[in-house]
């Protein structure tokens, strides 16, 4: 197995069944990305695009995704950052990163509640016109907790 240091990308409608190594497949339509783990283990890694998942940056020539990809659920436990089509290898999940993740999640929740509160303050429209808030899927905090519990076990 050899670690990749570069990755290319392909914009697709559907992520194909068989992925080529070293290619990040991006489906804007389905807000998801998939690639084979950059360590060379051949495992498929799916990184959904969402405010609490991953963000994709496309500058017309290269792609970057953030935050980093931590494959704690795979045997290889690889951890890397994809930035400007390059794969930057990281070490183990550090305490600072966990704390940064928690802070980010707290901020996201805070923003969410602020929005809710300001909605309540505004004159209430007829029930039919009220925006329906959908519960967020799985929060980043939950994901980090899962990763962490697997990591320390
Ligand atoms: Zn791997």
């Amino acid at each position: 197995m050899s670690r990749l240091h570069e990755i290319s990308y392909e914009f697709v409608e559907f992520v194909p069944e068989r992925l080529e190594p070293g290619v990040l497949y991006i489906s804007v339509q389905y807000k998801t990305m998939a690639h084979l783990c950059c360590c060379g283990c051949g495992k498929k890694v799916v990184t959904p695009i969402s405010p609490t998942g991953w963000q994709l940056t496309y500058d017309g020539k290269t792609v970057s995704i953030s935050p980093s990809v931590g494959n704690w659920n795979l045997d290889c436990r690889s951890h890397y950052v994809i930035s400007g089509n390059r794969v930057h290898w990281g070490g183990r999940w550090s305490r600072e990163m966990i704390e940064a993740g928690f802070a980010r999640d707290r901020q996201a929740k805070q923003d969410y509640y602020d929005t809710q509160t300001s909605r309540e303050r505004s004159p209430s429209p007829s029930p039919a016109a009220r925006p329906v808030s959908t519960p967020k899927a799985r929060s980043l905090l939950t994901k980090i907790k899962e990763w962490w519990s697997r990591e320390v076990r």
Side-chain angles (χ1 to χ4, degrees):
M1 295 197 295
S2 60
R3 287 177 161 191
L4 289 179
H5 290 279
E6 248 181 296
I7 193 162
S8 59
Y9 59 86
E10 208 176 306
F11 285 96
V12 292
E13 184 181 356
F14 300 103
V15 171
E17 198 65 38
R18 279 181 68 85
L19 307 182
E20 290 292 323
V23 180
L24 177 70
Y25 294 86
I26 304 159
S27 170
V28 172
Q29 193 164 350
Y30 294 98
K31 299 185 185 67
T32 196
M33 300 180 282
H35 67 281
L36 295 181
C37 179
C38 291
C39 85
C41 70
K43 291 278 170 26
K44 185 176 174 179
V45 179
V46 177
T47 49
I49 306 171
S50 83
T52 52
W54 279 267
Q55 277 96 63
L56 168 73
T57 308
Y58 174 56
D59 67 4
K61 203 173 169 190
T62 66
V63 291
S64 306
I65 70 174
S66 107
S68 59
V69 180
N71 297 323
W72 311 125
N73 52 336
L74 303 181
D75 291 342
C76 63
R77 300 215 166 175
S78 55
H79 176 213
Y80 45 85
V81 175
I82 296 175
S83 175
N85 280 11
R86 300 200 65 84
V87 183
H88 302 275
W89 287 86
R92 288 164 70 89
W93 191 250
S94 72
R95 179 154 294 276
E96 296 84 79
M97 289 165 71
I98 297 214
E99 274 159 16
F102 277 113
R104 194 183 113 143
D105 195 64
R106 262 202 304 272
Q107 189 56 50
K109 280 208 176 65
Q110 191 60 48
D111 293 347
Y112 180 75
Y113 288 123
D114 286 351
T115 314
Q116 295 292 99
T117 317
S118 56
R119 255 185 217 155
E120 276 155 27
R121 268 193 234 112
S122 59
S124 113
S126 69
R130 279 180 86 89
V132 180
S133 59
T134 46
K136 280 202 265 180
R138 284 198 311 155
S139 73
L140 180 69
L141 181 67
T142 314
K143 278 187 229 164
I144 291 173
K145 273 184 181 159
E146 280 174 15
W147 288 339
W148 182 245
S149 61
R150 285 198 196 103
E151 180 76 353
V152 295
R153 207 178 291 150

